[in-house]
Amino acid sequence: MKKLVIGLLSLLLLLTGCQKNNQEDGKLNIVVTTTMITDLVETIGGDHVNVKGLMTTGVDPHLYQAKASDATTLIAADLVIYNGVHLEAKLTDVLAKLENAISLESGLDEGDILADDEGGIDPHIWFSVPLWKKAAIRVSKGLSELDPTNAKDYDANLQKYLVELDDLQSYITNKLSVIEGDKRVLVTAHDAFNYFAHSNNFEVRSIQGISTESEASTSTISELADFITKHQIKSVFTESSISPKTIESLQKAVESRGFKVTIGEELYSDSLKDNASYIETFKLNVDAIVRALA
Ligand SMILES: [Zn+2]
């Protein structure tokens, strides 16, 4: 089925080339992948854009596969904006064929992207506020190139948002300051929080790697249970876009070692909370981490 959908997409893309869709309301028709990018583009584009996200809240972007209807949506777009850094792993072929697409990755600098021990690149750039500022700048540039008439508005929206993102970083730093050095360990289902850890002086441990494509192994769970017991870590976290099963087996493994670890509130990792902005969702995560670990 996947091959068929991609084949169909390729054919449609070939037939229509870079044909633009004329919106009756005069707004740009922007198609994005994740909920974080929907929020970002709506913020920078303001009244000049209609944003359609392929993925809704709670959807795992590592595993998302193109639906047949996505072809029409992508072709009708004036501009497609996606994360890149191999986040949309199953859409790579489709996105690469689009002429009207930009990635947030293209707004980053060399050295910004983190890698795991095996050299796999980490796509979760939205968990670094400094990198999300670069993503916002990239979106503003992309919209201005497409629609120079309104470039001043995109820049004004950008400047306002950059200040809000600086305020967010201050909020994060202040809130987390109550968690002492040796308690700054975040144990989660998959490795979404490396950028968060990197900017906020945390250590992260997870059951799955930086993508949810790989299965959790029992040896990883066992090693992690040893680590939690040894360091007496109070809480581990589940994530909104991932099944809590692996975290529950980790909790059981810790219990069998004679230590009790609680499961903290669900963190929003690869998708925003329903009807909440990026900034609001980030604050909810930080508050939950403070409640569990402070
Ligand atoms: Zn992820």
Side-chain angles (χ1 to χ4, degrees):
M1 181 61 191
K2 189 195 160 200
K3 279 226 166 62
L4 179 71
V5 170
I6 290 172
L8 208 72
L9 273 164
S10 306
L11 182 68
L12 278 165
L13 293 171
L14 199 71
L15 290 173
T16 55
C18 56
Q19 185 190 335
K20 293 282 183 284
N21 183 38
N22 291 317
Q23 291 271 309
E24 280 173 21
D25 60 7
K27 294 186 181 188
L28 294 175
N29 173 19
I30 314 291
V31 174
V32 305
T33 51
T34 68
T35 51
M36 289 73 75
I37 307 176
T38 300
D39 178 66
L40 181 60
V41 178
E42 281 177 347
T43 304
I44 305 299
D47 295 337
H48 303 305
V49 298
N50 283 321
V51 184
K52 159 102 181 117
L54 295 184
M55 302 173 200
T56 50
T57 51
V59 170
D60 181 345
H62 301 284
L63 303 179
Y64 183 85
Q65 299 198 355
K67 299 194 293 279
S69 63
D70 290 344
T72 338
T73 309
L74 287 165
I75 288 156
D78 294 311
L79 184 66
V80 175
I81 304 181
Y82 63 102
N83 189 83
V85 209
H86 208 63
L87 175 72
E88 300 94 340
K90 313 273 182 194
L91 296 181
T92 310
D93 295 348
V94 174
L95 292 169
K97 285 199 175 68
L98 295 170
E99 284 178 23
N100 58 338
I102 58 170
S103 69
L104 300 184
E105 180 182 0
S106 65
L108 303 184
D109 297 301
E110 221 179 301
D112 281 343
I113 293 169
L114 300 176
D116 64 16
D117 297 339
E118 282 97 52
I121 50 172
D122 187 336
H124 305 90
I125 53 172
W126 55 94
F127 278 121
S128 159
V129 176
L131 294 194
W132 207 237
K133 285 170 71 178
K134 291 186 182 181
I137 293 167
R138 182 68 189 93
V139 168
S140 172
K141 185 168 167 258
L143 293 177
S144 298
E145 281 168 0
L146 184 67
D147 177 25
T149 321
N150 293 311
K152 252 174 67 182
D153 290 349
Y154 300 132
D155 188 57
N157 292 340
L158 171 67
Q159 297 311 326
K160 185 168 165 274
Y161 196 51
L162 292 177
V163 173
E164 288 176 34
L165 290 176
D166 282 337
D167 290 346
L168 171 64
Q169 184 57 58
S170 305
Y171 179 94
I172 296 166
T173 308
N174 287 337
K175 279 275 172 177
L176 294 177
S177 67
V178 299
I179 306 175
E180 287 162 25
D182 62 336
K183 289 184 179 168
R184 292 170 92 96
V185 182
L186 204 58
V187 180
T188 60
H190 94 299
D191 236 345
F193 293 89
N194 287 312
Y195 290 95
F196 173 87
H198 192 72
S199 349
N200 299 296
N201 195 24
F202 262 69
E203 187 181 340
V204 277
R205 295 291 174 116
S206 69
I207 300 172
Q208 282 173 290
I210 48 179
S211 170
T212 53
E213 288 180 284
S214 60
E215 287 288 311
S217 76
T218 44
S219 68
T220 315
I221 290 182
S222 166
E223 281 165 31
L224 209 45
D226 289 339
F227 177 85
I228 290 166
T229 310
K230 187 176 168 212
H231 296 275
Q232 311 258 298
I233 292 163
K234 276 164 68 180
S235 268
V236 295
F237 297 90
T238 56
E239 295 167 47
S240 57
S241 50
I242 295 178
S243 154
K245 270 202 319 235
T246 55
I247 278 290
E248 285 161 10
S249 17
L250 176 63
Q251 188 184 35
K252 282 200 192 86
V254 171
E255 231 173 66
S256 75
R257 285 160 174 75
F259 184 66
K260 222 176 163 54
V261 66
T262 61
I263 296 182
E265 293 155 80
E266 183 180 78
L267 298 181
Y268 300 96
S269 56
D270 292 1
S271 148
L272 298 181
K273 183 183 196 286
D274 257 332
N275 300 314
S277 70
Y278 164 79
I279 290 177
E280 287 162 351
T281 305
F282 209 135
K283 286 182 175 177
L284 289 171
N285 277 343
V286 169
D287 294 350
I289 291 168
V290 170
R291 274 192 293 272
L293 296 179

